[in-house]
Amino acid sequence: MKTLRQIADSSAGTLLCLVVALAAIKFGTLATLPETPAIFSDLIADYLFLTWPTSFFGIVAAVILLLEVLAGKSFPLDATAGKLAVLFGFLIAIGALFGAINSPQAWIVKEHIAYYASCGALVLGAKLYIGNDENRCRYLFISAGIAALLVCVAGIEQYFWGFARLRAFVAEEMTRGVFYSEPMLAKVNDSRVFATMTSANVLAGFLLLTAPLGVVAAAKFGERLYPKAYGKLIFGIAAAALTLSVFLLTKTRGAYLALLLTAELALWLAPCRKIWKFASLGVLLIVLVAGAWFIHKQGRGFSSLRERASYVQTAFRVTRQSPLVGGGWGSFSIAQMKYKTTPTDEVPRDPHNILLNMLSQCGILGVVPVALALSMAMIGLYRARRRSIWHTALFFGATAFLLHSMAEINHLVPGEWALFGVLAVAGTTAKEEHRASKGTTFAICSAALLLGIATLLMHFSLLKRDYAYSQYRKALDERNFEEDFRRDAAIAAWQNSPVVYELAGDAAWRRGDRAGAEYFWRQAWEISPTRPSLCRRFAAVETAKGNSIEAQKWRNLAKELFPSDPANR
């Protein structure tokens, strides 16, 4: 008969493998966009087919960690995997705390800290589950491979049928008089596959990390057939064709470059003559020049490259103001509005770089744990790459993923950043790991218990907040008589956040209640006095009052905050 500890351990392991396998399907959305909270469905069945609110991820991660602490596992701290788990589990989350010191938008701090705590909880729980059992590592590799294959099936369905359904729906809505802006229509008509992820770029990053494991998992499954060699070949080729086709359909140039550079690295590490290695460099150079020419002549141009370059410049500008602890969470977006030169209304929340994100907003104290974790992970995976085909696939997948993460938002997606941490810990786990002393294990597990409880409480609070917002949005859409009640509940749940106040003001304005609209917008402005959208709303209020001079002052302020925004022209 199983003991309580054994039940807790097996339950945590099952849940962990499910989370890894469903990483992209259920947790592929952004985690640090507090202005776009989750929308909840009233039908339980919908949660089988929709991505889950990101707060669910934090709750599940905390439950896994708490179950493993209950199981009473010892901790191999002196091994690479153990140190990695501590870095991901505690130190990166502690580094995120420094972003609270100078934050110009205090209302978004909680989301960032909760996010990194949840990712850390999952990685720490994974290490407690694995111990030094290589079979358990293989379970996680297989789960990650399944995740890659599942999201690719979703991508194929989207490309051939999903986009057509979406465009037909939009066309029908427009015939009813529903307005769709030009940027929205451009997104609707975009053919880049994003499947269940938040964007095509994020899907490409996910596939760089997991597709090699998916191919290995399919090939291993093929070995069950007879003859083994043919089964392995057929399933391996089929998985490679599936994942590569969806990867190419993302049309993500940065991901293509990451794949090419990783392929070049693989050739240099392969046991072949040096002449072939140097020749491959020439081929790579030709491919890069040809690709640049094609992008310039036939593609979308280099606007996104210029945009990424501006992110880097802004990140260093923010860092220079406070090198040690950074500009604080939310500082990058405010600075980017000011320095942005491209004429679009898009404002990223981070510099699309895993290191610059922490450096600019949490300073040197925040970026050091991340840099240590990534360095230790890649060194450990490099040393373990010959241990098995799984380890080889993981090393090259992780390399491509991190290269891509230098120019994309992969670290803001729980289905990617936490998964990278889990796989890094699994890939550096070895049989010969030594167990930590009882005192060390007790200290780590005690800290893990506190982390699990804190993560659980933070994400329950965020879940409650997002649900209140969702109910208010629903009341507005349905013109529900309980709208005011829902609004008050949402405001209470969001506390010091401008989001609900701005939404409430918009609702009052549509009803013709100018005084009510101005009241709620003023509340939002007191919390966050750097929002050009509010400036334009105040300009509209003053125009309605006949105060053209005051209206122009608000328009000038909006332009000062965000000079390149087309709305300010």
Side-chain angles (χ1 to χ4, degrees):
M1 184 177 178
K2 286 187 176 182
T3 64
L4 178 61
R5 288 186 174 185
Q6 290 173 326
I7 293 172
D9 183 44
S10 58
S11 299
T14 302
L15 191 55
L16 176 63
C17 289
L18 282 172
V19 168
V20 171
L22 298 175
I25 301 295
K26 294 300 183 184
F27 302 117
T29 52
L30 289 178
T32 52
L33 287 182
E35 292 182 73
T36 54
I39 301 298
F40 294 80
S41 172
D42 291 332
L43 300 176
I44 299 299
D46 285 349
Y47 292 96
L48 295 174
F49 306 102
L50 303 175
T51 53
W52 289 348
T54 50
S55 296
F56 281 21
F57 175 81
I59 292 171
V60 172
V63 168
I64 290 172
L65 178 57
L66 292 174
L67 284 172
E68 285 299 342
V69 172
L70 180 62
K73 294 292 198 66
S74 58
F75 198 87
L77 180 61
D78 55 341
T80 299
K83 294 172 183 175
L84 264 180
V86 170
L87 279 169
F88 274 96
F90 299 119
L91 297 186
I92 292 178
I94 291 173
L97 292 173
F98 292 109
I101 295 175
N102 292 327
S103 176
Q105 301 187 67
W107 60 281
I108 67 172
V109 168
K110 183 177 180 180
E111 285 85 349
H112 291 77
I113 294 174
Y115 171 69
Y116 285 104
S118 65
C119 292
L122 189 73
V123 175
L124 203 59
K127 185 55 193 167
L128 288 171
Y129 165 70
I130 292 168
N132 65 344
D133 189 336
E134 291 187 338
N135 286 328
R136 293 190 169 190
C137 294
R138 192 160 55 250
Y139 297 156
L140 294 176
F141 295 153
I142 293 171
S143 298
I146 291 172
L149 298 177
L150 283 175
V151 78
C152 284
V153 170
I156 291 295
E157 192 280 336
Q158 183 182 62
Y159 184 77
F160 286 104
W161 298 282
F163 284 143
R165 287 198 304 269
L166 174 62
R167 289 161 191 159
F169 171 78
V170 170
E172 182 181 347
E173 289 284 287
M174 291 179 71
T175 58
R176 294 179 176 176
V178 177
F179 173 75
Y180 282 84
S181 64
E182 287 299 323
M184 180 62 72
L185 289 176
K187 291 180 181 296
V188 169
N189 292 311
D190 195 341
S191 60
R192 287 177 292 176
V193 169
F194 58 88
T196 57
M197 309 298 283
T198 191
S199 71
N201 288 325
V202 173
L203 173 60
F206 182 81
L207 290 179
L208 287 173
L209 176 63
T210 60
L213 295 173
V215 173
V216 173
K220 290 288 185 182
F221 179 79
E223 290 181 351
R224 298 173 178 270
L225 304 179
Y226 182 83
K228 288 185 178 181
Y230 287 110
K232 179 180 179 179
L233 188 64
I234 291 170
F235 276 82
I237 290 175
L242 174 65
T243 53
L244 182 61
S245 62
V246 174
F247 175 77
L248 293 175
L249 288 173
T250 63
K251 301 178 183 178
T252 304
R253 293 164 293 180
Y256 293 172
L257 178 60
L259 183 61
L260 284 173
L261 294 176
T262 305
E264 182 66 23
L265 174 64
L267 184 61
W268 276 82
L269 293 177
C272 63
R273 296 174 62 183
K274 286 188 177 180
I275 189 171
W276 295 113
K277 296 179 181 180
F278 284 107
S280 69
L281 287 176
V283 173
L284 176 63
L285 181 61
I286 293 171
V287 170
L288 292 178
V289 171
W293 180 86
F294 178 81
I295 290 170
H296 177 66
K297 293 293 184 181
Q298 306 292 334
R300 301 192 302 273
F302 293 99
S303 59
S304 62
L305 182 61
R306 290 192 292 270
E307 193 89 357
R308 296 300 191 275
S310 75
Y311 296 169
V312 175
Q313 291 176 333
T314 300
F316 281 113
R317 280 170 170 161
V318 173
T319 304
R320 281 198 297 268
Q321 296 173 6
S322 180
L324 197 61
V325 296
W329 293 119
S331 59
F332 177 84
S333 60
I334 295 173
Q336 181 62 13
M337 282 192 297
K338 182 177 180 180
Y339 297 118
K340 182 181 172 72
T341 56
T342 52
T344 64
D345 61 356
E346 180 184 5
V347 182
R349 295 293 167 186
D350 82 302
H352 284 46
N353 181 295
I354 197 168
L355 295 174
L356 290 180
N357 178 50
M358 295 297 284
L359 178 64
S360 61
Q361 302 189 90
C362 299
I364 295 171
L365 295 177
V367 77
V368 166
V370 178
L372 281 176
L374 296 180
S375 302
M376 189 178 295
M378 293 314 301
I379 292 171
L381 292 174
Y382 172 78
R383 290 173 176 171
R385 74 187 190 282
R386 294 176 180 170
R387 198 177 296 165
S388 72
I389 186 63
W390 293 106
H391 290 83
T392 303
L394 178 57
F395 168 69
F396 289 112
T399 299
F401 173 76
L402 286 185
L403 286 173
H404 187 245
S405 296
M406 295 300 110
E408 262 312 324
I409 57 172
N410 302 334
H411 55 290
L412 297 186
V413 182
E416 296 198 16
W417 176 238
L419 182 58
F420 172 81
V422 169
L423 292 177
V425 165
T428 54
T429 295
K431 264 185 179 179
E432 60 272 14
E433 285 183 342
H434 302 290
R435 297 292 185 182
S437 66
K438 289 184 178 179
T440 301
T441 296
F442 177 78
I444 291 176
C445 288
S446 298
L449 178 63
L450 295 176
L451 175 66
I453 293 172
T455 302
L456 198 63
L457 292 176
M458 282 190 291
H459 281 278
F460 265 125
S461 172
L462 293 175
L463 192 66
K464 177 184 176 183
R465 183 204 68 176
D466 284 358
Y467 181 74
Y469 180 88
S470 175
Q471 292 299 103
Y472 178 50
R473 286 294 301 265
K474 193 175 297 184
L476 287 177
D477 294 340
E478 297 173 355
R479 302 183 185 278
N480 195 309
F481 69 93
E482 292 185 334
E483 177 188 320
D484 291 340
F485 168 76
R486 297 294 186 188
R487 180 198 64 218
D488 294 341
I491 287 174
W494 277 74
Q495 297 178 353
N496 296 323
S497 164
V499 174
V500 179
Y501 287 108
E502 188 170 330
L503 182 64
D506 292 346
W509 182 263
R510 287 195 297 270
R511 289 197 303 264
D513 181 6
R514 294 175 184 173
E518 185 175 8
Y519 168 78
F520 286 118
W521 290 337
R522 292 284 179 188
Q523 296 292 106
W525 183 257
E526 288 179 12
I527 296 170
S528 183
T530 56
R531 299 166 74 84
S533 59
L534 284 173
C535 293
R536 290 191 291 272
R537 286 169 168 81
F538 289 135
V541 170
E542 297 300 334
T543 300
K545 292 178 180 179
N547 299 332
S548 58
I549 296 177
E550 287 297 316
Q552 188 58 44
K553 286 181 180 179
W554 282 111
R555 283 191 287 268
N556 291 340
L557 180 56
K559 192 169 184 178
E560 180 183 333
L561 291 170
F562 195 174
S564 63
D565 187 354
N568 293 325
R569 293 179 181 176

